[in-house]
Amino acid sequence: MTLLNLAVAAAAFDPEAATQAYLATLKGAARAKSDAYFEGGYWLILWGALVAIASELVQLHFGLARRWRDWAERIAPRWLAPALFTLPYVIAGTLIALPWTIYTGYFREKQYDLMNQSFANWALEQGKGLGIDILASAILFTIVMAVIRNSPKRWWLWGALTVTAFSAFGTMVVPVFVKPLFNTYTEMKAGPVRDRIVAMARANNVPAEHIYVFDASKQTKRISANVSGLGPTIRISLNDNLLNRTTPAETAAVMGHELGHYVLGHVWKLILAFTLIFFLVFYIAYRAVPAIIRRYGAKWGVRDVADPAAIPVFFIVTTIIGLCLTPVTNTLIRINESQADAFGLNAAREPDGFAKTALALSEYRKIEPGPVEEFLFFDHPSGKTRIRMAMDWKAAHLVEVEGRKVEAGSK
């Protein structure tokens, strides 16, 4: 094909028609199943919040929080009581919500053919997660309660900063110390796919000394990858589903996107954005929690905001705020994801690979929502939005894309 023919093809290329052609490949039962799974998740947001609130109310109404507090204060100094309180509090909350957790985390995933684990293996991982949750919560509750005791007028400010610091620390340590508890991470084998990822990383100044593959296929059919961590813990990881279920072009498209998160500083930007949200949440809690305790504290056996038994009250308030802020947090994340999409298209230069990956993700994400639906419930761009972005990019670079195909076909 000559340059003239390539130019003519580029002029005739219609991004909207190409987008519709891709969308048409997901149809019938497959599309209905994808839509049903994702749309059902809209209600899970509400019901999950209600289950969480009910769990906290059970512990308050039946005096469980008071009993956990009294037990902790009998055997530990005041500063350490919140840490001991965490043990029975988190276990009780987990047991109260257990039927909901089993349905949403296991049976619903099995129903939609997304789960690869047996119930026993799933339950074992839930147990590991519970242990991690108890440890992390004990540290966080101890620090936040100390902040409330020592700064009764400004605890909302220092509390928000504490949660921000805790989140940043978690971002740094989770990839190295927590993720390997659930999956095995091994160095990616040498070969063309690895070479291309390394080349893209080096071209964009992303550390690429280590590229890890983890065995997500033992748990799920979902494809994923990430550039995670902060500072010395930064690592490039992709799951084995991505390698096994996609072509090299699709893998490159996904990794270009993930490299974009690193290059564009999205981890730090999200930490900053969520710091502002934490300020808002803690300030509302600063106003609401004392008022709730004044009205119901005597009935529940909660003394004041610095009482470990007040922790369920904090969670009720923050759960309601979090539910109301869902469109805001979704939008913050979705904007970053869209920016990473644009970066990935330029880094990998694989628009069709990107479009096909968007279709693969649509196994469990509704591919073509309405604009309001996408704004409210999507923390990533929809499949249609992503495919259209890829086809717009392809239209602007069609001579290059088709030229590569011609060159590859001649070899």
Side-chain angles (χ1 to χ4, degrees), residues 183-207:
N183 294 95
T184 300
Y185 285 73
T186 56
E187 283 278 357
M188 187 176 184
K189 294 179 180 178
V193 175
R194 188 184 194 282
D195 291 343
R196 188 165 184 188
I197 295 171
V198 170
M200 285 194 297
R202 289 177 177 168
N204 292 284
N205 298 313
V206 180

Side-chain angles (χ1 to χ4, degrees), residues 158-404:
W158 300 113
L161 292 174
T162 297
V163 172
T164 297
F166 195 79
S167 300
F169 180 73
T171 300
M172 183 172 65
V173 303
V174 164
V176 177
F177 298 105
V178 177
K179 295 290 188 181
L181 297 176
F182 299 89
N183 294 95
T184 300
Y185 285 73
T186 56
E187 283 278 357
M188 187 176 184
K189 294 179 180 178
V193 175
R194 188 184 194 282
D195 291 343
R196 188 165 184 188
I197 295 171
V198 170
M200 285 194 297
R202 289 177 177 168
N204 292 284
N205 298 313
V206 180
E209 288 78 13
H210 301 285
I211 299 175
Y212 296 96
V213 177
F214 59 100
D215 55 343
S217 60
K218 73 177 186 179
Q219 296 141 337
T220 181
K221 293 179 170 63
R222 301 171 191 245
I223 63 175
S224 70
N226 58 75
V227 179
S228 58
L230 287 174
T233 67
I234 290 171
R235 55 173 55 189
I236 299 172
S237 305
L238 56 158
N239 73 14
D240 55 349
N241 290 326
L242 180 62
L243 288 177
N244 296 332
R245 299 188 61 197
T246 65
T247 65
E250 293 164 36
T251 301
V254 171
M255 296 312 300
H257 167 97
E258 298 302 334
L259 294 173
H261 284 308
Y262 175 86
V263 175
L264 298 173
H266 283 162
V267 171
W268 289 109
K269 289 178 181 177
L270 279 179
I271 288 174
L272 176 60
F274 275 89
T275 299
L276 300 178
I277 292 175
F278 293 150
F279 281 137
L280 175 63
V281 170
F282 267 82
Y283 183 74
I284 295 174
Y286 172 75
R287 308 296 296 184
V289 172
I292 295 171
I293 291 174
R294 282 194 298 269
R295 183 165 183 177
Y296 299 104
K299 176 183 176 182
W300 292 335
V302 179
R303 298 184 298 248
D304 52 45
V305 292
D307 183 354
I311 289 174
V313 184
F314 278 96
F315 270 99
I316 289 172
V317 171
T318 56
T319 297
I320 294 171
I321 299 169
L323 179 63
C324 294
L325 289 177
T326 297
V328 176
T329 55
N330 280 350
T331 298
L332 287 172
I333 297 170
R334 191 173 61 251
I335 288 171
N336 281 353
E337 294 296 331
S338 183
Q339 291 173 350
D341 286 348
F343 182 96
L345 284 165
N346 285 315
R349 313 191 81 75
E350 294 285 359
D352 289 296
F354 188 89
K356 291 173 184 176
T357 301
L359 285 171
L361 293 172
S362 292
E363 287 182 354
Y364 46 87
R365 290 181 188 161
K366 187 175 182 179
I367 194 168
E368 196 171 1
V372 175
E373 189 179 10
E374 188 164 358
F375 169 76
L376 290 174
F377 298 111
F378 280 65
D379 61 0
H380 285 62
S382 67
K384 179 181 178 180
T385 299
R386 289 178 139 172
I387 293 169
R388 180 55 194 261
M389 177 186 283
M391 294 303 97
D392 285 338
W393 189 95
K394 182 176 179 178
H397 302 82
L398 194 62
V399 172
E400 172 195 337
V401 173
E402 294 299 327
R404 283 209 315 267

